[in-house]
Amino acid sequence: EHTLVVCDVEGGEQELLDPISIPALSQADILVELHDFIIPGISDVIRQRFATTHRITEIAARPRQLSDWPSSLSIPIAYRRTALSEYRPGGMRWFWMIAND
C-alpha cells in the first residue's frame, strides 16, 4: 500500500508538511502547491525537509490560456477568462515529491 498526498492549503504547507511531526510523510508521494507569496521561503523549507527522503521535481505554474478551456463547455469568453485566472502573483510552483524506495 502506498500513500499519495495532494496538498493545496494556501500557505498551510509549513504546518502540515512536517515529517518530524508526521513521520509517515517520509514514505508518501506528495504533490504540493507552494505559496511563497504568502509564506516567503516556504519552497526552500519544504525542499530541505524532504531532500533526503524524496526525489523532488519542481513544476512551474504557467498562466492559463483560452485554449485550455474545454471545448465541451460553452460559456461567454469573458466568463472563461475569469474562470481560467486565479489572480495569483507570478512565480507559483508545485513540487512533485516521490518517496525514495
Side-chain angles (χ1 to χ4, degrees), residues 2 53 55 98-101:
H2 200 77
T53 58
R55 294 182 312 278
I98 300 174
N100 296 331
D101 294 328

Side-chain angles (χ1 to χ4, degrees), residues 13-32:
E13 306 89 283
Q14 185 163 331
E15 292 80 22
L16 294 176
L17 294 180
D18 184 350
I20 292 173
S21 296
I22 308 169
L25 289 172
S26 295
Q27 296 152 9
D29 293 340
I30 303 168
L31 177 64
V32 57

Side-chain angles (χ1 to χ4, degrees), residues 20 57 93:
I20 292 173
T57 301
R93 70 182 103 181

